[in-house]
């Protein structure tokens, strides 16, 4: 460790807090400060010795390097040595973690704060073990052999200095073999003919490097093809290959062959037996068997109707066995939501010279009904306190066809303490919703069979939301939706609502709020009785693997239009049954990328939305406009408290009413999440964004900096940062985020970054800038 560097660090530590005020510090205090600094210096210095706690006969493993022998003929030696280095075991200590361990570890104590820090932040010294070197050499030689570096060898040598051992691996290789040609079986058996037809799609490519992984992938591909052509018992072990390396220098020919095994039989489907009420504990109960087409349904009670079962069970009697359709059947049955377990067993049968599979599908019913209740609480930096209670009822087999009915009721109130100008109950919100999911497409689609891997669904929903803000307005929103949901692959989902009706009715407004509307034409147009009739499409891509440490991408696109069809039948005043209808188009993009590691993760999000009113509308409905701020957005700013652009919030006429909305939204977030203790996570985050108007507001001076401009929108971005704690109880995640702004777009250009104003020690600064966000679940 560089001692001079340490001295510089300590000097800076000394000058920053005390150099400007040292004449006001008493001599005893100065003496104490000197002792503290000297102690820290000694602690850092002692921790610089990485072999501090090693016994005399122990060696610290100091890492490895890989070199090519001077006679080797590898074309890209650097790429190969870097790859081989990943097989060197073990990995050397992280320098910081080893320093932290040596700095805080107290071997003479079993517990204590120092040992806790050492175990959480540090890493014990990794010692040299000769068996690790032998194993690492074997791993590198296996990699060379499996990747076409035939007849290669690896040797190693060690260097010891100051009780630290470094390993050097040396590789001797004549180079990597490439594939000259691939030969599939030429005989005329059915299975070999099938494989020959698939040769053009082979994973093994000519002129590509020889790799065992490619050969294994090809065996798996061919075995899957065989099982989808009726070969029920076919597995990759029945495929083997010869490698001829004598054909040319650094070239190899691959010969694929199929074992002459008794399992090479094609099977057809026989009768399918279905047990919808199967229970392993009561298999001997009296049961009735009902024949429905080619299904034999065996159950003790009429749990699920036969027609829905037939719709989702692929392959009819007599068809050639296909593994992909069998997997699809299992997935369909689980996707119905009424079965907890699905188990399929096959019974081999022979009739004449034809082989058959009799299928037995055992279905264990799940609970079909449940009731849930939730209580929520929220706080805001403006002394608002909110609470809500909600309850839901779900029936997953309403009409005995796996139809799912969900009903939900909720009630919430919000109050502001320490503000005598407002009523105790500031906001009252009541909502009710009922949704019915049908496990099929309704009209105009009439196909009985399901041909996708996942069951398409039809959703019919009706809801009503009543909101009363006692100082401002009372509004009611009624909504009806009819649409479809389907999933084309494991990661891709679609939702399409061809019919969406939303009726918004302003029931009452106060005199004070009416004054605001009179002075804000855009807001007045937003708060009016209006009908929203349109359609909505959503595409979602999510390649997250549950319980797998793998980076994943989430992407969602929403496209929405309203009023186009209605405009064709509207009257001369652009009304439908006497009600104004809205016309607009919206496009929203939400992208998130998660980098997952064992003890920490990085999550980034970019959210962009654009809404365009046209035709019958000059502004979008208030409930469709964009806003930022709050616990799941830019956490350093209040909900709806930002924008548009550089506009200052207008709160002069009515206290605590925020209408900071816009037609365009750009929001970006970056969050680092890390483990602290069992069930406790920490987070550090940066949020940025704002909203803007799409068009100029007819010269209104209040909104002169509110219109979106490509040359100025970046300078109008608000930025906040902060720290958070998460209590992860597995079934519930509670989140507390403390944030503060570091860039305010409402300040004059050139003064918007406010780093120089940060003063955690000042109470007034904390009151004006710190935002506490208490919420359930991650923000994104």
């Amino acid at each position: 460790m560089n001692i001079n560097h340490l001295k510089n660090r300590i000097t800076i530590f000394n000058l920053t807090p005390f150099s400007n005020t040292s004449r006001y510090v008493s001599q005893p205090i100065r003496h104490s400060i000197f002792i503290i600094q000297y102690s820290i210096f000694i602690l850092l210095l002692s921790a610089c010795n990485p072999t501090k706690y090693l016994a005399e006969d122990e060696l610290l493993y100091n890492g490895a390097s890989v070199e090519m022998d001077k006679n080797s003929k590898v074309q890209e030696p650097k790429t190969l040595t870097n790859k081989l280095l990943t097989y060197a075991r073990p990995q050397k200590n992280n320098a910081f973690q080893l320093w932290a361990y040596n700095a805080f570890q107290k071997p003479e104590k079993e517990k204590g704060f120092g040992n806790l820090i050492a175990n959480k932040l540090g890493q014990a010294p990794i010692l040299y073990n000769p068996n690790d070197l032998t194993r690492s050499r074997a791993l590198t030689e296996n990699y060379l052999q499996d990747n076409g570096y035939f007849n290669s060898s690896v040797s190693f040598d060690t260097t010891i200095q100051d009780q630290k051992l470094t390993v050097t691996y040396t590789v001797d290789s004549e180079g990597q073999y490439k594939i000259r040609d691939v030969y599939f079986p030429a005989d005329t058996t059915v299975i070999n003919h099938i494989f020959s037809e698939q040769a053009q799609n082979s994973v093994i490519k000519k002129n590509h490097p020889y790799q065992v992984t490619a050969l294994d992938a090809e065996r798996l591909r061919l075995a899957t093809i065989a099982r989808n052509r009726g070969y029920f018992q076919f597995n990759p072990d029945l495929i083997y290959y010869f490698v001829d390396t004598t054909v040319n220098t650094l070239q190899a020919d691959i010969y694929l062959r199929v074992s002459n095994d008794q399992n090479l039989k094609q099977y057809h489907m026989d009768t399918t037996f279905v047990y919808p009420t199967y229970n392993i504990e009561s298999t001997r109960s009296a049961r009735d068997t009902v024949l429905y087409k080619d299904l034999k349904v065996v159950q003790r009670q009429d749990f699920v109707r036969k027609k829905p079962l037939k719709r989702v069970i692929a392959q009819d009697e007599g068809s050639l066995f296909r593994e992909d359709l069998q997997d699809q059947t299992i997935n369909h049955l689980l996707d119905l939501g009424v079965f907890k377990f699905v188990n399929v067993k096959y019974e081999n049968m022979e009739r004449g010279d034809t082989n058959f599979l009799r299928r037995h599908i055992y279905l264990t019913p799940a609970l079909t009904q449940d009731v849930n209740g939730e209580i929520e609480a929220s706080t805001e930096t403006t002394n608002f306190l909110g609470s809500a209670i909600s309850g839901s009822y779900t029936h997953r087999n309403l009409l005995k066809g796996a139809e799912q009915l969900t009903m939900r009721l909720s009630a919430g109130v919000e109050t502001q303490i320490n503000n005598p100008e407002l009523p105790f109950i500031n906001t009252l919100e009541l909502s009710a919703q009922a949704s019915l999911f049908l496990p099929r497409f309704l009209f105009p689609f009439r196909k009985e069979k399901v041909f996708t891997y996942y069951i398409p669904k039809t959703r019919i929903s009706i809801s009503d939301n009543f909101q009363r803000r006692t100082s401002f307005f009372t509004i009611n929103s009624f909504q009806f939706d009819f649409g479809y949901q389907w999933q084309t692959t494991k990661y891709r989902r679609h939702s399409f609502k061809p019919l969406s009706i939303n009726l918004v009715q302003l029931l009452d407004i106060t005199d004070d709020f009416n004054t605001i509307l009179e002075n804000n034409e855009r807001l007045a147009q937003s708060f009016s009785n209006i009908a929203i009739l349109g359609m909505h499409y959503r595409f979602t891509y999510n390649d997250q693997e549950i319980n797998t440490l793998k980076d994943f991408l989430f992407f969602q696109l929403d496209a929405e239009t309203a009023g186009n069809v209605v405009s064709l039948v509207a009257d001369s005043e652009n009304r439908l049954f006497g009600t104004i209808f809205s016309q607009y188009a919206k496009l929203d993009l939400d992208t998130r990328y998660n980098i997952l590691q064992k003890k920490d993760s990085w999550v980034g999000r970019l959210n962009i939305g654009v809404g365009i009113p046209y035709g019958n509308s000059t502004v979008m409905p208030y409930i469709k406009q964009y806003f930022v701020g709050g616990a799941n957005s830019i956490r350093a700013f209040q909900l709806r408290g930002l924008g548009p652009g550089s506009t200052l919030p207008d709160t002069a006429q009515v206290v605590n009413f925020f209408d900071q909305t816009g037609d365009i939204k750009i929001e970006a977030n970056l969050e680092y999440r890390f483990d602290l203790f069992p069930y406790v996570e920490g987070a550090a985050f940066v949020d940025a964004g704002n909203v803007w108007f799409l068009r100029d507001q007819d010269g209104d001076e209040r909104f002169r900096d509110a219109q979106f401009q490509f040359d100025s929108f970046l300078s109008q971005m608000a930025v906040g940062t902060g720290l958070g704690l998460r209590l992860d109880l597995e079934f519930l995640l509670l989140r507390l985020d403390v944030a503060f702004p570091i860039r305010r777009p409402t300040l004059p250009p050139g003064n918007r970054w406010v780093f120089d104003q940060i003063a955690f020690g000042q109470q007034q600064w904390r009151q004006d800038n710190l935002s506490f966000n208490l919420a359930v679940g991650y923000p994104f």
Side-chain angles (χ1 to χ4, degrees), residues 193-219:
H193 179 70
I194 292 173
F195 289 164
S196 297
E197 288 179 340
Q198 299 294 324
Q200 60 183 358
N201 299 320
S202 175
V203 177
I204 308 172
K205 304 294 184 183
K206 296 180 181 179
N207 300 319
H208 281 213
Y210 171 91
Q211 292 179 315
V212 167
T213 54
L215 297 176
D216 291 341
E218 179 66 3
R219 295 170 66 199

Side-chain angles (χ1 to χ4, degrees), residues 627-639:
F627 59 88
V628 292
N632 297 318
S633 181
I634 307 175
R635 285 160 277 188
F637 295 86
Q638 184 177 349
L639 183 69

Side-chain angles (χ1 to χ4, degrees), residues 650-680:
D650 183 9
T651 60
Q653 299 178 45
V654 178
V655 179
N656 293 316
F657 177 77
F658 294 91
D659 66 312
Q660 310 304 102
T661 61
D663 308 314
I664 297 175
K665 179 178 78 169
I666 299 178
E667 183 181 337
N669 312 84
L670 180 63
E671 184 166 290
Y672 174 60
R673 301 167 182 170
F674 50 91
D675 293 342
L676 287 176
F677 308 103
Y679 306 107
V680 179

